[in-house]
């Protein structure tokens, strides 16, 4: 990221036609699988689109890295809860890939209430010559069968099928905000505002409640759970963040119900900075373990913080994402933007972190050199293989030619969801209904 910043090239972008973009086309989650060969997006219409990376060919070595649509399927449908007279949106809140065990791929997708396990598999052969069925699939009259045939497999055009294997439902009273797969690959957890449930991937009709912060009297409710994630290596450890800006680390070996945390991370508030919006902007919208499992990253409204698991008193590093918005909190509160939930991601080596901002800007922070850069994902300056220019926002005073004034930022264009390839410098950025894939310049 150091010298390469301005030579970063756009690889390709998956753009849906603006004229036909509806609310349902807005991308609501982006996730690479563990090898980076596949990239999945979920949208507000309940669809999942999976992209596959092209293999490198000898005659076209530069083609490697292009992602093309591999499979598209409808994961969730809109539902209605008749008991509570509530509509349940089909919007995909999160997608998590399971590690690949065989030729098929598996992923978990969730909306507000139901988690589904999908199998994505390829088929290039079809069986023919059944004895009890004719070629159209109709059952034959056994009395007309006079000879036995040996069914054979005939080659056919490659088909990619997505089939639902498990449906995990009826376990959440509130909206599911995150799912996380355990490092034992047998269990996963789903989290809503007040509870965290632990599931076995094979068992759909029961889950174990491991965290419950619901008070006996709901009027005493002071905080909600905003995100949760399993430790990447220790299957007994997970963390969850709250709307009060704290992170609790729990150990499932200590007790079946992890209401008592083993570690508590919270930054003491500076009284001189206290304002009406302090509590809202301190709410954590995303929490992510580093790949090494040594650090935690949290995103609140204005900052990204990196925590050392061995130091609970204060964060190791704090990065200002868009400090120039501090003076605009009042209008951001009025247009509801102050409640936007930005996500954050690590690169494969935990040395660079990335998170989104407004005006289709996204930010990268290099933890070693302490350098940072603002880049923009937009149709105007995103021709394939074009080089991204760093952007700057000016606050008051004179504006330079290549700067943009804080007053002319477009708050309807926001980068909430990003993903980083597990081992290479390839990133996926969701800007409303468009998915951009950027990669380091390939010489």
């Amino acid at each position: 990221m150091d010298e390469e910043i301005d030579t970063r090239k756009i690889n390709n972008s998956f753009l849906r036609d603006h004229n036909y973009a509806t609310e349902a086309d807005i991308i609501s989650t982006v996730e690479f699988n563990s090898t980076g060969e596949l990239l999945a997006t979920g949208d507000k219409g309940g669809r999942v689109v999976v992209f596959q990376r092209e293999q490198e060919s000898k005659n076209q070595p530069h083609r490697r890295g292009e992602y093309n649509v591999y499979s598209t399927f409808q994961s969730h449908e809109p539902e209605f809860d008749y008991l509570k007279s509530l509509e349940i949106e089909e919007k995909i809140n999160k997608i998590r890939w399971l590690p690949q065990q065989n030729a098929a791929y598996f992923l978990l997708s969730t909306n507000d209430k139901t988690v589904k396990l999908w199998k994505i598999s390829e088929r290039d052969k079809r069986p023919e010559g059944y004895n009890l069925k004719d070629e159209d699939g109709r059952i034959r009259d056994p009395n007309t069968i006079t000879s036995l045939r040996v069914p054979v497999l005939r080659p056919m055009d490659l088909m990619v099928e997505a089939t639902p294997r498990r449906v995990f439902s009826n376990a959440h009273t509130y909206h599911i905000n995150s799912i996380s797969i355990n490092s034992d690959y047998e269990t996963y957890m789903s989290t809503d505002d007040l509870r965290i449930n632990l599931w076995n991937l094979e068992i759909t009709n029961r889950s174990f409640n491991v965290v419950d912060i619901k008070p006996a009297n709901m009027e005493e409710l002071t905080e909600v759970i905003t995100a949760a994630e399993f430790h990447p290596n220790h299957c007994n450890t997970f963390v969850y963040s709250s709307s009060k800006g704290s992170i609790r680390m729990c150990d499932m070996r200590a007790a079946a119900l992890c209401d008592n945390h083993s570690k508590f991370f919270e930054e003491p508030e500076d009284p001189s900075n206290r304002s009406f919006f302090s509590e809202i902007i301190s709410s954590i919208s995303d929490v992510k373990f580093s790949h090494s499992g040594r650090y935690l990253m949290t995103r609140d409204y204005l900052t990204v913080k990196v925590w050392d698991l061995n130091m609970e008193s204060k964060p190791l590093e704090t990065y200002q994402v868009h400090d120039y918005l501090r003076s605009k909190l009042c209008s951001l509160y009025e247009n509801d933007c102050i409640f936007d939930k930005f996500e954050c991601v690590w690169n494969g080596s935990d040395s660079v972190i990335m998170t989104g901002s407004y005006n289709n800007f996204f930010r990268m922070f290099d933890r070693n050199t302490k350098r940072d850069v603002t880049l923009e994902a937009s149709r105007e300056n995103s021709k394939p293989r074009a080089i991204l220019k760093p952007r700057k926002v000016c606050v008051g005073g004179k504006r330079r030619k290549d700067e943009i004034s804080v007053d002319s930022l477009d708050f309807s264009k926001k980068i909430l969801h990003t993903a980083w390839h597990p081992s290479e410098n390839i990133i996926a950025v969701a800007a409303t209904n468009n998915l951009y894939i950027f990669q380091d310049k390939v010489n």
Side-chain angles (χ1 to χ4, degrees):
M1 186 179 141
D2 313 343
E3 305 307 318
E4 295 284 311
I5 279 310
D6 46 6
T7 59
R8 187 171 297 273
K9 280 199 175 187
I10 289 195
N11 192 12
N12 54 354
S13 49
F14 175 65
L15 305 170
R16 293 181 174 149
D17 192 328
H18 261 301
N19 306 327
Y20 299 105
T22 62
E23 178 80 5
D25 290 325
I26 294 173
I27 297 172
S28 52
T29 183
V30 189
E31 188 78 13
F32 280 102
N33 76 339
S34 56
T35 60
E37 288 302 307
L38 297 182
L39 169 68
T41 66
D43 63 25
K44 286 194 172 181
R47 286 184 305 262
V48 172
V49 181
V50 179
F51 300 89
Q52 186 180 42
R53 194 176 184 191
E54 273 192 11
Q55 294 302 315
E56 191 170 348
S57 60
K58 286 196 171 65
N59 46 3
Q60 287 181 308
H62 296 301
R63 295 282 294 173
R64 171 96 174 120
E66 299 224 341
Y67 283 83
N68 293 317
V69 176
Y70 178 62
S71 173
T72 304
F73 57 94
Q74 187 73 29
S75 174
H76 287 70
E77 302 279 356
E79 294 172 58
F80 193 79
D81 184 338
Y82 293 97
L83 289 173
K84 299 201 172 99
S85 295
L86 278 179
E87 282 185 36
I88 301 169
E89 282 187 0
E90 65 273 40
K91 174 190 165 206
I92 310 288
N93 292 342
K94 283 281 185 293
I95 289 173
R96 289 287 178 265
W97 289 93
L98 275 71
Q100 195 177 356
Q101 310 284 356
N102 51 26
Y105 301 98
F106 289 88
L107 62 82
L108 286 173
S109 64
T110 183
N111 67 350
D112 285 341
K113 298 288 181 189
T114 306
V115 184
K116 292 184 180 181
L117 174 68
W118 289 89
K119 176 185 181 182
I120 301 167
S121 53
E122 296 182 358
R123 208 171 72 193
D124 59 356
K125 291 183 177 63
R126 68 167 180 273
E128 279 181 9
Y130 285 107
N131 288 291
L132 298 175
K133 290 191 288 192
D134 61 21
E135 298 310 326
D136 299 329
R138 287 190 296 268
I139 301 292
R140 290 166 65 183
D141 179 3
N143 298 327
T144 64
I145 301 171
T146 55
S147 61
L148 279 177
R149 295 193 291 181
V150 178
V152 289
L153 288 170
R154 297 248 183 264
M156 58 177 251
D157 289 340
L158 180 70
M159 240 176 75
V160 181
E161 294 178 315
T163 46
R165 296 305 299 269
R166 310 252 191 291
V167 177
F168 306 89
S169 55
N170 304 326
H172 286 277
T173 315
Y174 305 95
H175 291 173
I176 299 173
N177 56 44
S178 51
I179 49 178
S180 177
I181 294 170
N182 200 344
S183 58
D184 63 8
Y185 305 142
E186 289 180 17
T187 54
Y188 77 91
M189 64 180 173
S190 56
T191 308
D192 67 26
D193 296 341
L194 299 179
R195 295 192 178 103
I196 300 176
N197 291 334
L198 182 70
W199 300 82
N200 187 304
L201 283 161
E202 301 292 325
I203 301 167
T204 58
N205 59 357
R206 69 170 183 272
S207 61
F208 297 94
N209 181 226
V210 288
V211 172
D212 186 349
I213 64 164
K214 184 180 179 184
N217 177 6
M218 280 297 271
E219 288 176 3
E220 294 166 9
L221 183 69
T222 58
E223 63 181 333
V224 295
I225 301 171
T226 54
E229 192 178 59
F230 269 119
H231 190 282
N233 318 320
H234 304 315
C235 60
N236 54 286
T237 308
F238 67 91
V239 294
Y240 67 92
S241 58
S242 87
S243 56
K244 276 195 161 174
S246 59
I247 309 112
R248 291 172 175 83
M249 190 163 160
C250 300
D251 188 338
M252 291 193 291
R253 295 173 301 187
L257 194 62
C258 304
D259 283 356
N260 297 323
H261 47 267
S262 56
K263 290 191 174 183
F264 182 75
F265 302 87
E266 189 175 43
E267 185 167 31
E269 192 186 27
D270 180 0
S272 62
N273 279 346
R274 178 116 189 104
S275 75
F276 171 72
F277 304 109
S278 293
E279 206 156 292
I280 303 173
I281 63 171
S282 68
S283 174
I284 293 173
S285 55
D286 197 16
V287 58
K288 292 266 169 64
F289 273 105
S290 63
H291 295 82
S292 66
R294 170 75 192 268
Y295 303 103
L296 264 180
M297 168 166 54
T298 59
R299 170 75 210 255
D300 56 41
Y301 191 65
L302 294 176
T303 65
V304 173
K305 297 187 173 100
V306 175
W307 303 78
D308 188 321
L309 290 193
N310 300 327
M311 185 169 78
E312 298 168 58
S313 55
K314 63 177 195 291
L316 198 62
E317 302 153 23
T318 301
Y319 300 98
Q320 301 294 337
V321 179
H322 37 217
D323 206 40
Y324 45 78
L325 296 182
R326 216 174 268 280
S327 59
K328 297 246 172 297
L329 293 177
C330 200
S331 53
L332 289 164
Y333 177 75
E334 281 165 7
N335 65 14
D336 275 354
C337 282
I338 201 166
F339 302 108
D340 285 335
K341 293 177 168 51
F342 291 96
E343 293 171 9
C344 51
V345 289
W346 301 87
N347 72 339
S349 61
D350 299 334
S351 60
V352 183
I353 54 186
M354 171 172 65
T355 190
S357 179
Y358 292 103
N359 208 65
N360 279 354
F361 288 170
F362 58 98
R363 305 266 287 133
M364 288 184 176
F365 303 94
D366 190 313
R367 296 180 57 211
N368 301 325
T369 63
K370 295 293 182 262
R371 290 172 55 168
D372 64 277
V373 66
T374 304
L375 300 169
E376 183 180 4
S378 71
R379 293 173 78 93
E380 289 70 52
N381 55 16
S382 295
K383 303 282 180 289
R385 310 221 170 269
I387 290 170
L388 281 188
K389 289 190 172 61
R391 303 299 309 262
K392 284 209 164 48
V393 178
C394 85
V395 189
K398 263 180 86 171
R399 185 167 69 89
R400 291 208 191 108
K401 184 164 70 75
D402 55 348
E403 290 183 339
I404 178 167
S405 157
V406 67
D407 295 317
S408 54
L409 293 173
D410 186 344
F411 291 107
S412 65
K413 293 179 177 170
K414 49 192 105 167
I415 306 264
L416 302 175
H417 315 287
T418 57
W420 202 307
H421 188 288
S423 55
E424 296 178 42
N425 274 339
I426 297 176
I427 56 171
V429 177
T432 324
N433 60 313
N434 296 324
L435 175 71
Y436 296 88
I437 297 173
F438 303 111
Q439 75 167 20
D440 256 350
K441 181 181 175 184
V442 182
N443 294 326

